[in-house]
Amino acid sequence: MSYSIGEFARLCGINATTLRAWQSRYGLLKPLRTDGGHRLYSDEDIKQAQRILDWVKKGVPIGQVKPLLERPGKQRTNNWITLQESMLQRLKEGKIESLRQMIYDAGREYPRPELVTDVLRPLRSSLSANIPAMMTLREVLDGIIISYTSFCLEGDRKAPGDNYLITGWQLTDACEVWLEALKRTGQGHRVDVLPGTPAALAPEIFAGRKWLLVTSGKLTVTRKKQIDKWREQVISLEVVAL
C-alpha cells in the first residue's frame, strides 16, 4: 500500500516534521513521489521507520542511526544523558538562545514523546533543588518548553484533527501540562491548553471536545468518582496521573 505523509505519520506515531528531517537531512527514508511532488510511503518504509525508532528510543543520536541500520549487530550506548548534559551546560552558561535552538532541533529530529520522557523531564528534575539559582534556571527552561510547545501546537492547527483540551487538575507542577501537550503534537490532534491548574473544572461546557487531565498524587475514591461523573458529560476524558 501507499501512504501520504500525514497517513504515514499517524501509522508510525511520528510527526511529519520529524519525518521530513529524517529524509532530507539524514537520508533515512526514501519515499516515492507523485507526479505532483507529494511523498508516498510504503509498508517497507513503515518497517524502516520502526527500526529507526528502536535506535532513537535507546538514545542514539539521529545522525548516527544510518550506519546502525546498515550494520544492525553493532551496539551503541544510551545517548539521552549526553543530550541532557549538553542542554544543562548551555543553560548554566546563560546560552539561552543556543539552548532554545537545541530543543527546537531535537523536536524535529526525535519523536516528541521520547524527547519529553527521556530528556526534558529528567533535565527539569536535575534542577529541582529549592535554591534561588536552580529555581531560576528551571524557570528559564520552562519558558523555553512552553514557547516551543506553543509553536508546535500552532502548527498542528493547520491540519484537520481531533479537538483536545489539556489542563492540570490538582497538579503541583503546572509545566507538566505543557509537557503532556508537547508529547501529543504532530499526531493529528488540535490541542488547546488551559495553562493554569484551576481549583474547579467544568468540562461539560466543552462537551464536544476530548479532555486530558494531568494530575499528581493518589487517585482517591472521591477523585475517581469525580472523573467518572465528568466522563458521562463529555465525549472523551483521559487522565494522566504523574
Side-chain angles (χ1 to χ4, degrees), residues 51 55 58 65-77:
R51 288 191 285 266
W55 285 111
K58 295 173 184 175
V65 168
K66 191 171 184 179
L68 293 175
L69 296 173
E70 296 167 354
R71 301 189 299 276
K74 189 174 172 103
Q75 296 295 316
R76 291 295 178 95
T77 56

Coordinates of all heavy atoms in Angstrom, one line a residue, residues 51 55 58 65-77:
R51 N 12.4 0.6 12.7 CA 13.8 0.3 13.0 C 14.5 1.6 13.5 O 15.3 1.5 14.5 CB 14.5 -0.3 11.8 CG 14.1 -1.7 11.5 CD 15.0 -2.4 10.5 NE 14.7 -1.8 9.1 CZ 13.9 -2.4 8.2 NH1 13.2 -3.5 8.5 NH2 13.7 -1.9 7.0
W55 N 16.2 2.5 17.6 CA 17.5 3.1 17.9 C 17.3 4.4 18.6 O 18.0 4.7 19.6 CB 18.4 3.3 16.7 CG 19.0 2.0 16.2 CD1 18.7 1.4 15.0 CD2 20.0 1.2 16.8 NE1 19.4 0.2 14.9 CE2 20.2 0.1 16.0 CE3 20.7 1.3 18.0 CZ2 21.1 -0.9 16.3 CZ3 21.6 0.3 18.3 CH2 21.8 -0.8 17.5
K58 N 16.6 4.2 22.2 CA 17.8 3.9 23.0 C 18.7 5.1 23.3 O 19.7 5.0 24.0 CB 18.6 2.8 22.4 CG 17.8 1.5 22.2 CD 18.6 0.5 21.4 CE 17.8 -0.8 21.2 NZ 18.5 -1.8 20.3
V65 N 22.3 7.0 13.3 CA 21.4 5.8 13.1 C 21.7 5.1 11.7 O 21.6 3.9 11.7 CB 19.9 6.3 13.2 CG1 19.0 5.2 12.7 CG2 19.6 6.6 14.6
K66 N 22.0 5.9 10.7 CA 22.1 5.3 9.3 C 23.1 4.1 9.3 O 22.8 3.0 8.8 CB 22.4 6.3 8.3 CG 22.3 5.8 6.9 CD 22.5 7.0 5.9 CE 22.2 6.5 4.5 NZ 22.4 7.6 3.5
P67 N 24.3 4.3 9.8 CA 25.2 3.1 9.8 C 24.8 2.0 10.6 O 25.1 0.8 10.3 CB 26.6 3.7 10.3 CG 26.2 5.0 11.0 CD 25.0 5.5 10.3
L68 N 24.0 2.2 11.7 CA 23.5 1.2 12.5 C 22.4 0.3 11.8 O 22.3 -0.9 12.0 CB 22.9 1.7 13.8 CG 23.9 2.4 14.8 CD1 23.1 3.0 15.9 CD2 24.9 1.4 15.3
L69 N 21.7 1.0 10.9 CA 20.7 0.3 10.1 C 21.4 -0.6 9.1 O 20.9 -1.7 8.8 CB 19.8 1.3 9.4 CG 18.9 2.2 10.3 CD1 18.2 3.2 9.4 CD2 17.9 1.3 11.0
E70 N 22.5 -0.2 8.6 CA 23.3 -1.0 7.7 C 24.1 -2.1 8.4 O 24.3 -3.1 7.7 CB 24.2 -0.1 6.9 CG 23.5 1.0 6.1 CD 24.4 2.1 5.6 OE1 25.6 2.1 6.0 OE2 24.0 2.9 4.8
R71 N 24.4 -1.9 9.7 CA 25.1 -2.9 10.4 C 24.3 -3.1 11.8 O 24.8 -2.7 12.8 CB 26.5 -2.5 10.7 CG 27.3 -2.2 9.5 CD 28.8 -2.0 9.8 NE 29.0 -0.9 10.7 CZ 29.1 0.4 10.3 NH1 29.0 0.6 9.0 NH2 29.3 1.4 11.1
P72 N 23.2 -3.8 11.7 CA 22.3 -3.8 12.9 C 22.9 -4.5 14.1 O 22.4 -4.4 15.2 CB 21.1 -4.6 12.3 CG 21.6 -5.3 11.1 CD 22.6 -4.5 10.5
G73 N 24.0 -5.3 13.9 CA 24.5 -6.0 15.0 C 25.3 -5.1 15.9 O 25.6 -5.4 17.1
K74 N 25.7 -3.9 15.5 CA 26.6 -3.0 16.2 C 25.8 -2.4 17.4 O 24.6 -2.0 17.2 CB 27.1 -1.9 15.3 CG 28.1 -1.1 16.0 CD 28.7 -0.1 14.9 CE 29.6 0.9 15.6 NZ 31.0 0.7 15.4
Q75 N 26.3 -2.3 18.6 CA 25.6 -1.8 19.7 C 26.1 -0.4 20.0 O 27.3 0.0 19.8 CB 25.9 -2.7 20.9 CG 25.3 -4.1 20.8 CD 23.8 -4.0 20.7 OE1 23.1 -3.3 21.5 NE2 23.2 -4.8 19.8
R76 N 25.3 0.5 20.5 CA 25.6 1.8 21.0 C 25.1 2.1 22.4 O 24.1 1.5 22.8 CB 25.0 2.9 20.0 CG 25.7 2.8 18.6 CD 27.2 3.2 18.7 NE 27.8 3.2 17.4 CZ 27.9 4.2 16.6 NH1 27.5 5.4 17.0 NH2 28.6 4.1 15.5
T77 N 25.7 2.9 23.1 CA 25.3 3.2 24.4 C 24.1 4.3 24.4 O 24.0 5.0 23.4 CB 26.4 3.8 25.3 OG1 27.0 4.9 24.6 CG2 27.5 2.7 25.5

